[in-house]
Amino acid sequence: MIRSTHPAHGFVRGKRLTGGGALLWLICLMALALPISVAAHGGGSSGSHAGIPIPSLTHGEMAVIDPYYGRIVALAVTATDTDEAFRRVLNFAQIQHSYCLWGVMPGAISDEESPFNECSHAYLAAAKAVLLRMRTMKDEMVAAGDLVSEIDATLIRNNLSLILCRFSGESFNTADLIRPRLSDIVLHAKSLTTILLALLAVAVGMWSAARALRTKPLATE
């Protein structure tokens, strides 16, 4: 924590942050907000296979299933007839979703060049696996079946099928998390711009709040 050197001053009423101090805060915020591995990552086929294998999705299927992710997970977390494998795949889907910054990055689903595209494949593939598993559960099969019917109808209109299609591309594994690479984010204009704008907004908000708290005591005196 950055504090004023004057013993009577706390953090909020202390001296203004220097340029170096503000930069340090931005770096800390970035590290907390972006669960990104700087090291290179591979796909499901290159990592550990000690976990549970998860079939991949095609690029088109991913776009169709994405709007249903929240409903799938909401149903899955309330499921009662579960086992360890089900819970691990669900946990993988939720962790991968956070690594993808909760699906808010532009182009994460549609842009194959996005550094968040691979991890989007991963969490949506896991969500699909969870959904299909719930179709076999006594208490969840009706609700899961309704979701499958909705998704399947959309996929059929796009000449795809959730149940019958053969999945192509990369497969995944619950023991091998997919993390966007920082170097790829820097080279992807949309992702980098979004992150920089978010950090700028946070910095402006913190500066405005600190200034308001510093001037408030003066106004009451």
Side-chain angles (χ1 to χ4, degrees):
M1 182 177 290
I2 303 172
R3 297 182 181 274
S4 168
T5 56
H6 195 290
H9 289 171
F11 169 69
V12 174
R13 299 187 60 186
K15 296 180 180 179
R16 292 185 179 180
L17 291 176
T18 63
L23 179 60
L24 177 61
W25 270 106
L26 286 178
I27 293 173
C28 291
L29 285 170
M30 193 172 202
L32 289 173
L34 303 176
I36 296 167
S37 171
V38 179
H41 70 279
S45 61
S46 62
S48 170
H49 289 268
I52 300 169
I54 301 171
S56 182
L57 299 175
T58 66
H59 195 71
E61 291 167 327
M62 184 171 63
V64 174
I65 295 175
D66 178 56
Y68 293 90
Y69 173 82
R71 293 171 62 184
I72 294 171
V73 171
L75 180 61
V77 296
T78 62
T80 56
D81 184 19
T82 65
D83 55 21
E84 182 182 357
F86 178 86
R87 292 188 295 271
R88 287 174 66 183
V89 174
L90 174 59
N91 185 58
F92 176 85
Q94 293 172 303
I95 293 174
Q96 283 292 169
H97 193 226
S98 67
Y99 274 127
C100 284
L101 297 187
W102 305 278
V104 302
M105 296 302 293
I109 303 298
S110 60
D111 183 4
E112 293 183 6
E113 300 302 319
S114 169
F116 295 90
N117 187 257
E118 185 180 17
C119 64
S120 295
H121 272 280
Y123 78 76
L124 291 171
K128 173 194 168 290
V130 165
L131 176 61
L132 293 183
R133 171 63 188 280
M134 286 191 292
R135 293 177 70 243
T136 67
M137 295 179 178
K138 179 180 178 181
D139 295 331
E140 286 72 39
M141 65 170 57
V142 174
D146 291 340
L147 279 175
V148 168
S149 296
E150 289 184 40
I151 296 171
D152 196 38
T154 304
L155 290 170
I156 290 173
R157 285 197 298 270
N158 290 276
N159 298 318
L160 297 169
S161 172
L162 178 65
I163 299 174
L164 301 176
C165 67
R166 295 281 184 175
F167 296 105
S168 60
E170 184 180 3
S171 61
F172 303 96
N173 191 283
T174 57
D176 184 23
L177 291 170
I178 306 299
R179 301 171 175 86
R181 291 188 296 185
L182 184 58
S183 59
D184 291 340
I185 294 174
V186 171
L187 296 174
H188 190 256
K190 289 184 179 180
S191 297
L192 181 61
T193 300
T194 300
I195 291 172
L196 291 178
L197 288 175
L199 290 175
L200 178 61
V202 170
V204 171
M206 291 178 60
W207 178 81
S208 299
R211 183 175 182 180
L213 290 172
R214 289 185 62 214
T215 58
K216 185 177 180 180
L218 297 176
T220 57
E221 290 178 358

